[in-house]
Amino acid sequence: VIGHPKYQESQRIAIFLSMPDEIQTEEIIKDIFEQGKECFIPRYKPHSSHMDMLKLSSAEDISSLALTSWNILQPSDDDSAREEALAGGGLDLIFMPGLGFDKKGNRLGRGKGYYDTYLDRCMKHPSGKPYTIALAFREQICESVPMAENDVQVDEILYEDC
C-alpha cells in the first residue's frame, strides 16, 4: 500500500479505522502522518446512509475518539471542530473496507450504502471523485458480487498475491 503510486501522489487520504476482521490500517495511518499527508476517517450517522470523512490531527488523535455501538472508533456527533473533506479540498484517495469483492471492482459492504452515498457526493465536489482502493484478504475475492443501481465500483482492489 505504502509503495502504491496512487498513495504516493495523494495528499488528502480517507481511510477506515479497521475492525478486527478487516485489513489492519494502523500502520498506513501512521505513514500518512509521517509523509505529511492529510488523513480523514469516516463518521457514520446511525439510521441513515450518511457518512462524512473527518480530518485527524495525528495518529495519536485516534485514542480520543468515541466507540460506537458497532465497536467502531469515530469522532462524536458533537465534534464540529474537525474539517469535513468535502467542505474543503475534497479527497485524492479513499481506502475502502468491504466483506467481498470481485475482480471487476464490485464491492459488497455491510449493507448501509455509506461509501456509495459518500462517493456520489464526491462526484458533485469540484475536485471530483477520488481514486478508490479496497483493502482485502485473498479469501474475500469472489467470482462475482451482485451490484445494485446505486453501487459504485472501486477502482482497484489490493489483496495478498494480487
Side-chain angles (χ1 to χ4, degrees):
V1 170
I2 291 168
H4 193 287
K6 287 287 183 187
Y7 174 78
Q8 290 293 322
E9 70 189 37
S10 294
Q11 193 57 35
R12 294 170 59 89
I13 299 171
I15 189 164
F16 58 98
L17 298 179
S18 45
M19 298 194 336
D21 63 345
E22 296 174 325
I23 296 291
Q24 297 301 293
T25 58
E26 187 178 327
E27 294 302 317
I28 302 168
I29 292 168
K30 285 180 187 171
D31 190 75
I32 289 171
F33 287 104
E34 286 169 10
Q35 300 290 330
K37 300 173 185 285
E38 295 176 271
C39 184
F40 296 82
I41 59 166
R43 178 172 66 191
Y44 307 94
K45 295 264 192 224
H47 315 298
S48 78
S49 62
H50 187 85
M51 175 178 76
D52 289 316
M53 290 291 184
L54 300 180
K55 190 173 183 177
L56 279 180
S57 58
S58 68
E60 295 74 32
D61 190 13
I62 294 169
S63 64
S64 73
L65 302 175
L67 198 59
T68 69
S69 58
W70 297 331
N71 269 348
I72 298 172
L73 288 170
Q74 69 176 25
S76 62
D77 287 340
D78 60 1
D79 186 343
S80 58
R82 295 176 190 274
E83 177 191 343
E84 201 295 314
L86 296 181
L91 290 165
D92 302 318
L93 173 64
I94 299 178
F95 286 110
M96 297 172 62
L99 299 177
F101 309 91
D102 67 25
K103 292 184 179 177
K104 291 184 223 118
N106 298 325
R107 172 186 163 273
L108 176 67
R110 295 188 184 263
K112 301 282 188 193
Y114 288 112
Y115 279 88
D116 299 311
T117 303
Y118 192 77
L119 287 168
D120 187 55
R121 286 171 52 210
C122 288
M123 289 181 220
K124 296 173 176 126
H125 189 272
S127 67
K129 180 187 168 290
Y131 194 78
T132 54
I133 297 177
L135 300 178
F137 295 108
R138 183 178 47 232
E139 293 80 6
Q140 291 176 284
I141 308 303
C142 308
E143 189 65 39
S144 176
V145 171
M147 292 290 280
E149 189 178 308
N150 60 331
D151 289 342
V152 180
Q153 288 181 310
V154 295
D155 294 312
E156 191 172 345
I157 302 159
L158 290 183
Y159 60 95
E160 192 177 43
D161 300 334
C162 74

